[in-house]
Amino acid sequence: MHRRDFLTSLAGLAAGSIAPPGGARGDRRLFLQGALPARTLGQTGIEIPILGLGGFHLGQAGSEAAAARVVETALEEGIRFFDNAESYQSGTAERWMGVALKGVREQIVLMTKTFDLQTRSADGARRHLEGSLERLRTDYLDVWQLHSVRSVDDVDRAFRPAGAMECILEAQREGVVRHVGVTGHTDPAVNLRALHHFDRGSRFDVMQMPVNPMDYHQQSFQRAVLPALVERGIGVIAMKTSAQARLVQDRICTIEECLRYVWSLPVSVAVVGMERPELVRHNARLAREFTQMTDEALTALRERIRPEVDLGLEWYKE
């Protein structure tokens, strides 16, 4: 089947998997406890709240019902950006999120990702897209990303002819995907390699990467990559905002300090792992109360934690 025909049939397949409106939940009118501050996602024109729900931790909620409670709380608190990946819990995170978002699809921004480290092929990405659409119960994605690039060679494989990025960009042209991006959390040089391909014409809209106070001091994405993204108008999606909770657990920073720090940088949204409703409510309150840190305050926080610098705290970079 020609790729164009494949993507056309793919959209139809996904649309057919969506349960009709109505029933116990049906189309829902979203209730806001309090509006969250919002920013534009790069040059996409999409306005999103500064706090997003991470899909990996949703897959650790314990059950489909527990995940639904987390999503429901997120919607009530004003969160509209939902992150996921086909590789999270072998598709379970997407499946639970798809069920929980029934009836509100048009009111939220839904993102997922394709990960195939061995080949980074277009064929593999197409299979992932088909599976993601079915599990998420949608016929389109707002954002689809090349997930977790690990090396320069890895990036080059994905951007080569018949590589995964070819499928991602074609899905965007076909309208199955609105916006596309790249994620990476190991080495800033790898993300910069993706920008090399961006500058050569393989344009993407967003990049997801680690941003937290400790990152400033070691293999720093915010120092090496963030300015390049801002210069190109690429939307910045922050992840690992507390180094997967290590900064909080080791009492280096509070979650309040981590999130305020990240939101004070030129990022569009912080995707945060929250597997329980109380975490969602707490972090949504922080977003509503956010005030910009001054340059002096940012520097003071960085200097305070400098003695604690240890790459083991950001193990995902090793």
Side-chain angles (χ1 to χ4, degrees):
M1 182 182 293
H2 190 276
R3 288 193 297 272
R4 181 179 302 273
D5 296 332
F6 170 84
L7 289 168
T8 300
S9 65
L10 184 60
L13 172 64
S17 71
I18 302 173
R25 303 180 73 172
D27 290 326
R28 292 178 281 171
R29 181 184 296 275
L30 297 185
F31 173 71
L32 297 181
Q33 299 282 6
L36 301 180
R39 296 176 181 174
T40 304
L41 183 59
Q43 296 182 342
T44 66
I46 299 176
E47 291 284 332
I48 53 174
I50 60 175
L51 178 64
L53 182 70
F56 181 81
H57 284 260
L58 184 71
Q60 296 180 324
S63 69
E64 182 180 296
R69 288 191 291 271
V70 172
V71 170
E72 192 71 30
T73 303
L75 293 169
E76 290 173 354
E77 293 289 341
I79 293 173
R80 297 292 177 267
F81 189 86
F82 291 85
D83 158 273
N84 224 306
E86 54 79 29
S87 58
Y88 292 163
Q89 290 83 32
S90 301
T92 297
E94 285 186 330
R95 190 173 298 108
W96 287 355
M97 183 173 283
V99 171
L101 288 173
K102 177 184 175 183
V104 299
R105 176 65 186 92
E106 300 300 320
Q107 302 173 67
I108 58 98
V109 176
L110 183 59
M111 177 179 77
T112 196
K113 318 177 194 82
T114 172
F115 180 69
D116 179 9
L117 186 60
Q118 297 304 314
T119 67
R120 296 292 190 184
S121 69
D123 288 342
R126 290 185 196 105
R127 289 192 296 272
H128 291 167
L129 178 58
E130 179 178 1
S132 290
L133 291 172
E134 183 175 5
R135 287 186 293 271
L136 289 166
R137 302 188 176 197
T138 185
D139 57 355
Y140 72 98
L141 297 172
D142 295 293
V143 184
W144 191 34
Q145 296 207 78
L146 175 70
H147 188 32
S148 189
V149 290
R150 305 289 179 87
S151 67
V152 168
D153 287 343
D154 184 24
V155 172
D156 289 345
R157 283 198 305 274
F159 279 85
R160 76 190 190 282
M165 205 65 194
E166 178 181 280
C167 175
I168 292 170
L169 292 170
E170 185 163 5
Q172 183 182 37
R173 289 192 295 271
E174 295 291 338
V176 180
V177 175
R178 295 176 65 193
H179 305 288
V180 301
V182 177
T183 90
H185 57 249
T186 59
D187 183 347
V190 176
N191 292 49
L192 291 174
R193 184 63 177 180
L195 291 182
H196 163 79
H197 290 282
F198 176 95
D199 292 338
R200 291 169 63 90
S202 296
R203 298 301 179 96
F204 47 89
D205 306 297
V206 299
M207 180 171 282
Q208 188 171 357
M209 64 185 191
V211 184
N212 62 64
M214 187 62 72
D215 168 80
Y216 185 84
H217 296 292
Q218 52 191 16
Q219 294 180 205
S220 179
F221 286 83
Q222 64 194 274
R223 296 175 72 177
V225 183
L226 184 58
L229 297 177
V230 172
E231 179 183 0
R232 292 163 175 78
I234 297 171
V236 181
I237 301 172
M239 63 175 168
K240 296 178 171 53
T241 52
S242 62
Q244 289 199 312
R246 283 295 304 276
L247 299 184
V248 177
Q249 292 168 355
D250 289 18
R251 299 185 178 182
I252 295 170
C253 299
T254 65
I255 189 62
E256 289 84 355
E257 288 174 321
C258 289
L259 288 176
R260 191 180 178 208
Y261 179 91
V262 170
W263 288 326
S264 294
L265 300 176
V267 306
S268 298
V269 59
V271 169
V272 181
M274 299 173 282
E275 63 270 26
R276 301 192 307 277
E278 58 267 29
L279 297 178
V280 176
R281 287 189 285 267
H282 180 263
N283 292 336
R285 177 178 60 79
L286 296 180
R288 284 192 289 273
E289 296 174 352
F290 165 68
T291 57
Q292 181 80 21
M293 295 178 72
T294 65
D295 289 343
E296 292 76 14
L298 289 168
T299 299
L301 177 57
R302 291 165 182 154
E303 290 306 307
R304 193 194 84 203
I305 70 171
R306 185 186 291 274
E308 307 295 334
V309 169
D310 178 357
L311 194 58
L313 293 168
E314 293 189 277
W315 59 267
Y316 42 85
K317 292 181 176 179
E318 294 185 290

